[in-house]
Amino acid sequence: MELKRAAEGEKGFEKVFAFLRERLLAGSLKPGDRLISERELATLLGVSRPIVREALRALTVLGIVEIRDRIGTVVTRPDVSVLNDFFTFALAQQADMLDDVMQARVAIECQAIRLACERANIADFERLQRTLAKIGETIDEADAGGMADFEFHRSIVVASHSETLTVLHSSMAGLLTHSHRNRRELVQAFPSMKTYLIDDHRRIFEAVIARDPERADATLRKHFAIGDEFRRRAVVGDLDKTLDKTSASR
Amino acid sequence: MELKRAAEGEKGFEKVFAFLRERLLAGSLKPGDRLISERELATLLGVSRPIVREALRALTVLGIVEIRDRIGTVVTRPDVSVLNDFFTFALAQQADMLDDVMQARVAIECQAIRLACERANIADFERLQRTLAKIGETIDEADAGGMADFEFHRSIVVASHSETLTVLHSSMAGLLTHSHRNRRELVQAFPSMKTYLIDDHRRIFEAVIARDPERADATLRKHFAIGDEFRRRAVVGDLDKTLDKTSASR
DNA sequence: TTAGCTTACTGGTCTGACCAAGATCAGACC
DNA sequence: GGTCTGATCTTGGTCAGACCAGTAAGCTAA
């Protein structure tokens, strides 16, 4: 990351952006700090205000900074919602990316469940149990059911007590809400899937309770694999076969 | 996502941004398309050019669009490298997050190696072999050694042929370069670690070659665990014990 | 037909200005 | 003396118009 030559060769916007990035990365600008005014920044760096605003706006969409009307620009604690924006755009134009993101989600969640086995506390267990119960209660509703499914998986990641994993997971999970819903709609059409959903999640829950990372990881991984299988077969309208296969493999 | 009311109530920037987002998400603006000029956009939406530029710049940092000097603004294929920027900023301000980031890296890499076992092609194998050899060659050099280590791990992720995983990994790996270097400096001080480094990486390589996801994952995971152990013990100056323990556990 | 020149258009930037509203502080009032 | 209030300063939000520097297309001349 070459920030040294930022002072002269850059193109105005780059100059301001690099200037701010430097302070941000070096830590001299911390969350909560208020930046100097746009005008000051402009004269300080020898550029015009519109350019400064471009840079500030850029930092804003990156979630690094927040421009408060008539107050000033303050450094914020980086927020995940940026990733959501990005993924929304990215997926809109590249449907094939969905599978890729799913892989990342599996990665995050499997690691998270391992950590959860080590770090989960009573409150985490309770949340897991609550969301697990919710899955059972809402098994017949497409919307609520999808939400419950999502909440359960999120609880796993939260129980890992890893902020990075949580952040990554929530940004991807948002995108995958649709697939959750789709799966849930399948459930309505094929009641025999209910057992799979409930039992699978319960097995995952039990592995965490047992604080067995290996089993938890493996169970969760299998859960995803089966979900994949479901979706794949559903496309070719061959659901019964899937159900047979999955129950046989247990 | 409420885009409908975008036409009037918005604040200039929001108006332009929403206008473009709408087209982007709806698909009427596809990668490769050239936007109308800034001036046209400004008059079309009833705002000034600087505002339009703010919006375009925002889309630029999101990797959605590319502003080409004296050519125009074109829609690009979403590039995941934006995440790199974000993570760089986000993680720079929370040093305590480093351990957390490491967990995410493990998550990414373990998932990647599973995919690599399925998807890796000859070129990937060759790159892995090349970087593995490099680790052996540079075992006595702190700088080059750390780089070789990094390259090997990166090769694993690249072999997964998952762009999302690759980007996530590189964003985190960059931050963790220091710890790599530190480890390497330890190697200089304790030559007996050389065997661990070389053998461990070779075992990982072999598991990928064998296309055995479970073994690859487990081996890689153990590799990280041992690295962790090394660093922990190093802090309390108890390296010999570590070496004994790790060789005994095999 | 083609080489070369002209010109319209593009992004990149600056200047200076105006508005609305939060922040601040002095002075008036209790 | 302490509190309230209003003028003023400052801040972001925005605009209009202008200039530069190249690019690309259109036109002219060979």
Side-chain angles (χ1 to χ4, degrees), chain B residues 11-13 39 46-51 70-71:
Chain B
K11 277 290 189 192
F13 167 81
R39 289 169 234 263
V47 297
S48 64
R49 248 186 94 198
I51 301 302
R70 275 152 266 140
I71 304 289

Side-chain angles (χ1 to χ4, degrees), chain B residues 181-247:
Chain B
R181 274 218 53 185
N182 292 343
R183 206 195 316 180
R184 286 296 163 163
E185 278 159 5
L186 284 180
V187 176
Q188 308 313 310
F190 300 85
S192 44
M193 285 178 70
K194 291 180 187 173
T195 324
Y196 145 68
L197 276 170
I198 295 179
D199 286 0
D200 239 30
H201 285 109
R202 188 178 41 72
R203 258 187 289 270
I204 294 168
F205 172 71
E206 283 166 0
V208 176
I209 294 289
R211 293 194 183 281
D212 184 341
E214 294 299 333
R215 195 174 104 213
D217 185 340
T219 311
L220 182 58
R221 215 172 274 279
K222 178 173 262 177
H223 171 68
F224 284 126
I226 294 176
D228 251 9
E229 190 70 14
F230 267 140
R231 261 164 282 151
R232 209 171 315 157
R233 301 268 178 165
V235 178
V236 296
D238 198 9
L239 270 175
D240 292 328
K241 203 166 177 180
T242 307
L243 288 168
D244 289 345
K245 187 192 169 198
T246 56
S247 45

Side-chain angles (χ1 to χ4, degrees), chain B residues 16-224:
Chain B
V16 183
F17 194 77
F19 174 84
L20 292 173
R21 171 166 58 188
E22 199 174 345
R23 322 262 144 162
L24 256 353
L25 294 184
S28 51
L29 278 178
K30 295 176 297 297
D33 291 356
R34 204 171 97 256
L35 271 60
I36 58 180
S37 74
E38 298 177 353
R39 289 169 234 263
E40 284 181 273
L41 212 44
T43 61
L44 175 63
L45 296 177
V47 297
S48 64
R49 248 186 94 198
I51 301 302
V52 172
R53 284 186 62 78
E54 280 183 36
L56 294 180
R57 192 66 82 172
L59 289 173
T60 300
V61 301
L62 284 178
I64 314 294
V65 125
E66 185 183 346
I67 306 180
R68 294 187 188 156
D69 197 355
R70 275 152 266 140
I71 304 289
T73 306
V74 303
V75 183
T76 64
R77 222 183 105 257
D79 181 9
V80 215
S81 63
V82 198
L83 302 182
N84 215 312
D85 280 347
F86 173 75
F87 281 115
T88 306
F89 278 116
L91 301 175
Q93 314 196 320
Q94 275 177 270
D96 60 319
M97 217 184 203
L98 216 149
D99 213 58
D100 223 48
V101 174
M102 188 59 192
Q103 293 301 334
R105 186 199 151 177
V106 172
I108 299 294
E109 212 163 315
C110 288
Q111 181 71 9
I113 207 171
R114 284 171 176 269
L115 290 177
C117 287
E118 297 173 15
R119 304 177 178 174
N121 55 36
I122 302 295
D124 295 320
F125 287 143
E126 284 175 347
R127 190 181 316 105
L128 277 169
Q129 192 162 38
R130 213 163 47 235
T131 51
L132 177 63
K134 196 82 179 177
I135 289 181
E137 295 165 12
T138 61
I139 195 70
D140 290 319
E141 307 162 51
D143 259 11
M147 186 70 79
D149 195 312
F150 168 74
E151 284 299 332
F152 177 77
H153 286 275
R154 202 176 65 89
S155 298
I156 293 173
V157 182
V158 168
S160 76
H161 292 271
S162 164
E163 189 174 349
T164 306
L165 289 178
T166 305
V167 168
L168 287 175
H169 182 264
S170 66
S171 343
M172 336 217 110
L175 295 171
L176 301 168
T177 307
H178 297 322
S179 61
H180 270 267
R181 274 218 53 185
N182 292 343
R183 206 195 316 180
R184 286 296 163 163
E185 278 159 5
L186 284 180
V187 176
Q188 308 313 310
F190 300 85
S192 44
M193 285 178 70
K194 291 180 187 173
T195 324
Y196 145 68
L197 276 170
I198 295 179
D199 286 0
D200 239 30
H201 285 109
R202 188 178 41 72
R203 258 187 289 270
I204 294 168
F205 172 71
E206 283 166 0
V208 176
I209 294 289
R211 293 194 183 281
D212 184 341
E214 294 299 333
R215 195 174 104 213
D217 185 340
T219 311
L220 182 58
R221 215 172 274 279
K222 178 173 262 177
H223 171 68
F224 284 126

Side-chain angles (χ1 to χ4, degrees), chain A residues 117-177:
Chain A
C117 286
E118 297 173 14
R119 303 177 178 175
N121 54 37
I122 303 294
D124 294 321
F125 287 143
E126 284 176 348
R127 191 182 315 104
L128 278 170
Q129 192 163 37
R130 212 164 46 235
T131 51
L132 177 64
K134 195 82 178 175
I135 289 181
E137 296 166 10
T138 62
I139 194 70
D140 289 320
E141 307 162 50
D143 258 11
M147 187 68 80
D149 195 310
F150 168 74
E151 284 299 332
F152 177 78
H153 285 275
R154 201 174 66 87
S155 298
I156 293 174
V157 182
V158 168
S160 76
H161 292 273
S162 162
E163 187 170 350
T164 307
L165 289 178
T166 306
V167 162
L168 288 175
H169 183 264
S170 65
S171 60
M172 328 209 127
L175 297 175
L176 303 168
T177 306

